[in-house]
Amino acid sequence: MKLNPWITAIEEEGAFFVLDKALAMKAAGRPVINLGIGQPDFLPPEHVLAAAEKAARDGPHGYTSPVGILPLREAVADKVGTRYGVDVHPDEVVIVPGGKVTFYFACLLFGGSGAEILYPDPGFPPYREAIKSGGARPVPYPILESRDFGFDAVEVLSLITPATRLIIVNSPANPTGGVVAAAEMEKLAKGLEAFPEVAILSDEIYSHLVFDEASFAGILQFPNLRDRAILLDGWSKTFAMTGWRLGYGIWPKALVEHVRKLITVDHSCVNGVAQMAGLVAITGPMDAVERFRQKFAQRRDLVVDGLGRLPGVTCRKPGGAFYAFPNVSATGLESKALAARLLDEANVALIAGDSFGDNGRGYLRLSYAASTAELEEALARMKAFLDASRR
Ligand SMILES: Cc1ncc(COP(=O)(O)O)c(C=O)c1O
């Protein structure tokens, strides 16, 4: 059989590989603590569950509009518009099954041979694979610890060539938890005025998980980019609904017809139950979301303190999301080997930093979406392992 090389070249996301391995070990009776996969360990808010139950009975049961039911698009437009003080029209909102779909479709739309797409390194691995499968060349830009895991706008702009069609940015970020400073985003937005053909996709899936006074700027706050900015967000991380597969993109109006066509080829529409639940989630009270945020902030402090006490490990305090990205280079172990040994010998699942790009070498990603007891136990196991490996 002859297969499409764009597709066979795709690499599976490391977090899912580790998830499968950790689940198999657990099923075999091993006491694995899984800090690998990035998903909230909370239940969705009760009123959202009730809405889903009702929708499972009352519908909609058939196909909906490919871009999503109108009340949901209106609610998203209203919520996002109010949040950033801008006008968002429901026709710019496209409901999709999860956050990933928005950047995947953007990579198809801006791809093709000869195109280049810029993406963060370390960054969410599916960006690179989506770029490759759309036929464009992935061009990484560095996210460095010395910049508090943000980017340098001047450096990003310097990587633009006549072939560049799209820049992907992500803040708060996976895998580092870094929040790009508003001033740096502004510099990028200003600099992009010199490159009117380059679009920007801002992955803001963790935008409700910003801690302290970390300055977060949403892409819609830059009116000069409005006609070429794509905002990616969704319900997965904000409402603890990762398995529901529900996300949205806010697209420049001119692009929506193309996204709509891709949807009709790909998945027709998002299931009606998830859409109805999503509607209640974003129009209802946000106290559960705030509770999740505060819980994550407490766990972040616990994890960053604990990691800082491990031999050979240092960890910056991340400004958002639910990931810590400790620097383990002084342990004397390569991050891939260290992650593999922590799973095999200490029953702690985490992800090697280089799974997220070359600049992640020397780091681990730890998802602190786990209970305090699990986090404390994982830190104790890591300490015992690292103490023993020093002897
Ligand atoms: C940065 C980032 N964007 C998008 C997603 C995908 O979200 P979803 O599960 O809604 O597809 C994730 C999930 O881990 C993520 O970390």
Side-chain angles (χ1 to χ4, degrees), residues 47-78:
H47 59 284
V48 175
L49 299 177
E53 255 178 58
K54 181 165 165 15
R57 260 192 200 287
D58 299 348
H61 297 296
Y63 297 122
T64 73
S65 160
V67 288
I69 55 173
L70 182 59
L72 184 55
R73 287 186 287 118
E74 284 172 342
V76 169
D78 181 54

Side-chain angles (χ1 to χ4, degrees), residues 13 16 37-39 97-101 103 123-127 170-175 203-206 232-237 241-243 245-247 322-323 365:
E13 189 184 339
F16 282 98
I37 196 80
Q39 62 178 338
K100 281 179 169 174
V101 183
F103 71 73
F124 188 39
Y127 295 150
N170 172 217
S171 169
N174 180 3
D203 181 343
E204 301 177 10
I205 199 103
Y206 297 102
L232 178 163
D233 205 336
W235 284 258
S236 294
K237 319 286 177 172
M241 291 170 72
T242 49
R245 310 313 302 139
L246 189 64
F322 39 66
Y323 304 110
R365 187 194 79 173

